[in-house]
Amino acid sequence: MKKWASLLSYMFVFVLLLTTPIAAFAQTSSVQKDKTPVDTLDDANQEMVQQMIMEMSPEEKIGQLVMPSTHDNEQNMPNEDTKELIQEYKAGSVIIYGNRDASTTAAYNNQLQEWASETTMGIPLFSTADLEYGVNQHVTDATAFPRQMGIAATRDLNGAKEMASATAEEMKATGFNWNYSPLADVNTNPNNPVIGVRSFGENTQLVSDMTVAQVEGYQENGVLSTPKHFPGHGDTSDDSHYDLPSVGYDRETLEEVHLPPFQAAIDAGADSIMTSHVIIEAIDPELPATLSEDVLTGLLREEMGFNGLIVTDAMSMQAIKDNWGAGEAAVMTIQAGADIVMATGSLHEQKESFEALLSAYESGELTQERVDESLERILAKKITYGLFDDRYVDPEEATDIVNTGSHKELAENMAQDSMTLVKNDDTLPYNPESNESTFVVGSEIYNQSYYIEDIADAVQAKTNGDVVYDVTSEDPSAEEIDEMVQQAEQADRIIVSTFSAGELTEGQSHLVNALGETEKPVVSISLGLPYDIKEYPDVDAHIATYAIERWGSAVPISWEAAVDVIYGANPGGTLPVTIEDHYEFGHGENYEAETPENAEEIKALVNQLEDEGEFESDTAPRALNRHLTAISHYEEQEAAEKVVKHMGGFNDLLDHQQNNDLISAEAFTLLQSQADDLIEKWEPFAFDSDRAMAHIQHLSEDIGPRAPGSEGEGEASEYIKDEFEKLGYNVSTQTFDIPGGEQSQNVIAVKEAEDTEDPEIVYVTAHYDSVPGSPGANDNGSGTAALLELAKVTRDKPANKEIRFVAFGAEEIGLVGSRYYVSQLSDEEINRSTANFNMDMVGTNWEPATQLYVNVVDGEPNTAWQYAESAADRLDNDTLFLYERGASDHVSFHEAGIDAANFIWREPGTASLEPWYHTPEDTIDKISPEKIQMVGDLMDSAISDIAFEQG
């Protein structure tokens, strides 16, 4: 009867797991450091965790603390030994090695989860793997991304996060829920035998930023991320797979160089961290971090505030195995503060880990309190990550997801952007249209030569000339080198690859130097560490690919990208490390031509490329030139937004010509680069309604109503001040009293005139307050947003007039802010004042409001109207309407004798405003980005005419 009661209790717990709402996953990134994983669950899930722990047998408790590697049968599926570890030893997690396709991997994980479901408690497994460069590391048809050092070479944090997101999607599809990535090790030792290109590099800040990006990418997409190897494996000279490394740097170095990436990951909400089998002498001179309570509990838990899962590195590594053995080390690491023991190695060693922990628990050597503490963390994370919801995956769907085209495209783009052109003595790019022959040569890597064959195939696909390749031993002899030189002398150009996981072999460096003596152009490619070039610094050109780590695990897209660079693709990478005495951190060259001054220069280049035969017919260059002629017209008008828009169209036309083989690859790359440069030149000067909309969202939604003197108005004032300061302006504020005993503020940003004494002054203004209870999206979040965006786009233009951007408070209670501002102007300032352009309610999407009223107090054309009208004519904008009206902040300027105009959308004829004017319905969904863009372009053009005119 007792047995049945226990079984019923287990079933009750399992039903609870299936029916209780799961804590929202998005909350995992905001876990406070003083909370345990259980604290982040709702009450029902907290109670569930406690009840499960109470119902567990000692064997089941210990099983959750152990993560064995799986064992396979001849069909590459889990065998009976694995089943025994799950069902008899109650393993709560597994780590999977080996290579399978996506469908088989999904079926593999399903089998493991099925065996777990058949246990008494039925708790799902953490299914884990080392997938540092993507799921392809163990799933043959999945996406392979560049190695971490390659990702760091791109300096693209968004790309790093997208890579982790795509990998998480492929992991979940194939049944994995936990990734041992990214490495947070700062690789300060160039001869580190185990980390190398697996690290983001030598710079602590870069490693920190990249680590956070990937932690967020994994965990926001439902996969545990594990920064490793705490507290840092980047400065070791020994490989913990074979020896017990020790680092002797001081506590200051530890805290300033090696710990920050882990602290950044913790602050970003990392849910697990992996330990290193390294003695950190500054913390514990006797024990490796994995076994040290001072490191895991004292440093990681107590000092750094980490409350997630601590998992050990593989315990079968010689650093642990040779010094303590599987059983003793398992007990020591749990006592030290780890939650999960990664029990790799033989089946006997795995069982020894389970049995030693169980014996220690039953004897009291491991206390119930200590074990239950880890169980709480483990079970809480399994709930948070939804493991109880649906433990199985669809093998057919897995194949589709790992072959997602966007993932492959992302990987290829990242590989291209990671290629680091370290040196180029006018050797690259090679001309792909040439019939010149190429000799490709390189050394074996761990007795494998397919790397060189692949590179040769990629070269042949790029060039019209013949390609011959050969392979030497890992450390080529003098005889081999002589033979390679003889072959090289028969070719027109040479590509040579080198590989090192530490020091480059002498034979490889001698080979590159000997090839250089042929006086043929020589390009070297480092396939492993980027430091190889220091052993052959005189080579003509060198590309670092970061493609292969110390075990020979390769990422082919990286050397394929290197071949693309050799034949004209623009390299995007910069060094994430220093190559001592040769190249600094951040160094990297590219093929970009001089930035074009205007579209006419690109047009001249098109004509030159046509003369050189780079187009299939004269139709393609003619179409490009027609486009460029129109863009020249917009440049003359200084219509930045139209220049940017139509250059985007020029790029689309280039894409069309490339897709239809109308343009050579070299010409396409060159013209695309020139087009991007011209866009980059004009983009900062182009008013962007998307950025303006972001300001409106913050003002109307994040802040909300901004009644004069209210907290909301004060918060808006601070926001505007911060935005002006971000743009680099001299910013000041004016505080003034308003009725009711409150205060309001004006915020002023000044763009100084250049090389002009006592310059004239142009005022660009808007009020930022709203009526009580109204979010004020249009009135006047739209005007304020336009003001901020105009400040941005005019910032870097040289002006011979002073421009003052002024955001007024307290407009809604009688123009108080603008009246105060003008009252503070001196007579000398008023005499220098040219015009005021005031924007009010410039974003309504009310359909009848199709006329942009230019309100002038006396109804007479003035300077502000004249410049606006001229700009409108140039922009083909026929919406302007001169109107006699005050009732806004331009009134104060008019009364002081300054030409002023107020710009506002109204219904033609009636001059009506939108029905939701001054109501709670004035929300961002009633804003038209198109109308803001029209006003922004108009103001930009008019202000440019008046403030940037010369002579």
Side-chain angles (χ1 to χ4, degrees), residues 695 698-699 703 706 713-727 729 731-733 745-749 766-769 780-781 784-785 787-788 791 805-809:
H695 290 309
H698 186 82
L699 291 166
I703 297 176
R706 304 174 300 284
E713 192 197 39
E715 190 175 343
S717 171
E718 284 301 311
Y719 173 73
I720 295 164
K721 179 174 179 287
D722 289 345
E723 291 300 306
F724 280 145
E725 287 177 342
K726 286 178 188 176
L727 295 172
Y729 281 103
V731 183
S732 61
T733 57
Q745 280 191 331
N746 295 328
V747 185
I748 306 105
H767 77 88
Y768 63 89
D769 59 315
N780 189 33
T784 306
L787 177 74
L788 291 169
F805 299 95
V806 189
F808 298 125

Side-chain angles (χ1 to χ4, degrees), residues 488-508:
E489 287 175 340
Q490 306 306 310
D492 297 306
R493 47 199 186 189
I494 302 164
I495 299 172
V496 55
S497 69
T498 59
F499 171 79
S500 66
E503 290 283 351
L504 186 68
T505 63
E506 285 189 6
Q508 290 189 68

Side-chain angles (χ1 to χ4, degrees), residues 592-882:
E592 291 186 358
E594 284 187 29
T595 302
E597 288 296 321
N598 49 50
E600 286 299 319
E601 289 191 7
I602 300 180
K603 199 170 172 181
L605 180 59
V606 169
N607 294 334
Q608 176 187 330
L609 292 170
E610 183 181 14
D611 292 342
E612 294 172 359
E614 299 296 331
F615 296 96
E616 283 299 307
S617 69
D618 60 359
T619 304
R622 216 167 38 237
L624 293 173
N625 280 337
R626 278 199 302 271
H627 220 86
L628 291 166
T629 298
I631 292 165
S632 293
H633 175 67
Y634 295 128
E635 286 180 318
E636 290 171 4
Q637 296 178 347
E638 296 186 352
E641 187 265 340
K642 290 193 174 183
V643 173
V644 172
K645 177 181 177 181
H646 285 79
M647 282 308 299
F650 179 83
N651 272 335
D652 291 340
L653 183 57
L654 280 175
D655 288 338
H656 169 77
Q657 293 185 358
Q658 184 198 39
N659 293 336
N660 290 277
D661 298 323
L662 300 175
I663 186 174
S664 72
E666 186 177 23
F668 169 80
T669 300
L670 181 57
L671 287 173
Q672 187 182 57
S673 173
Q674 292 278 288
D676 289 343
D677 285 343
L678 195 61
I679 290 171
E680 188 175 345
K681 174 185 174 181
W682 280 95
E683 212 162 27
F685 305 126
F687 187 98
D688 187 341
S689 60
D690 288 341
R691 289 194 296 255
M693 289 296 290
H695 290 309
I696 296 173
Q697 181 176 17
H698 186 82
L699 291 166
S700 66
E701 293 187 345
D702 297 345
I703 297 176
R706 304 174 300 284
S710 69
E711 182 179 339
E713 192 197 39
E715 190 175 343
S717 171
E718 284 301 311
Y719 173 73
I720 295 164
K721 179 174 179 287
D722 289 345
E723 291 300 306
F724 280 145
E725 287 177 342
K726 286 178 188 176
L727 295 172
Y729 281 103
N730 294 321
V731 183
S732 61
T733 57
Q734 293 176 332
T735 301
F736 50 90
D737 296 331
I738 62 175
E742 303 293 340
Q743 289 186 320
S744 182
Q745 280 191 331
N746 295 328
V747 185
I748 306 105
V750 178
K751 177 178 175 58
E752 304 288 350
E754 295 186 8
D755 303 322
T756 306
E757 189 175 348
D758 298 327
E760 296 177 10
I761 305 171
V762 176
Y763 303 89
V764 185
T765 61
H767 77 88
Y768 63 89
D769 59 315
S770 70
V771 297
S774 173
N778 191 37
D779 186 16
N780 189 33
S782 62
T784 306
L787 177 74
L788 291 169
E789 179 62 7
L790 287 166
K792 177 179 176 64
V793 300
T794 59
R795 175 190 57 191
D796 296 324
K797 294 180 182 179
N800 66 354
K801 292 184 177 64
E802 181 179 311
I803 305 176
R804 297 186 185 180
F805 299 95
V806 189
F808 298 125
E811 187 265 1
E812 298 288 2
I813 56 173
L815 316 181
V816 179
S818 57
R819 291 191 183 281
Y820 182 82
Y821 177 77
V822 174
S823 75
Q824 300 301 301
L825 295 175
S826 66
D827 290 342
E828 185 268 340
E829 286 176 301
I830 291 174
N831 289 334
R832 289 194 287 119
S833 297
T834 298
N836 164 232
F837 298 87
N838 183 63
M839 295 170 291
D840 196 356
M841 302 172 64
V842 294
T844 184
N845 70 358
W846 187 46
E847 289 186 7
T850 58
Q851 198 97 58
L852 185 60
Y853 276 55
V854 183
N855 295 334
V856 178
V857 175
D858 58 11
E860 296 297 323
N862 62 20
T863 303
W865 158 260
Q866 289 166 357
Y867 276 95
E869 184 182 37
S870 175
D873 288 343
R874 189 165 56 251
L875 296 171
D876 298 324
N877 181 341
D878 59 0
T879 65
L880 266 63
F881 180 70
L882 182 64

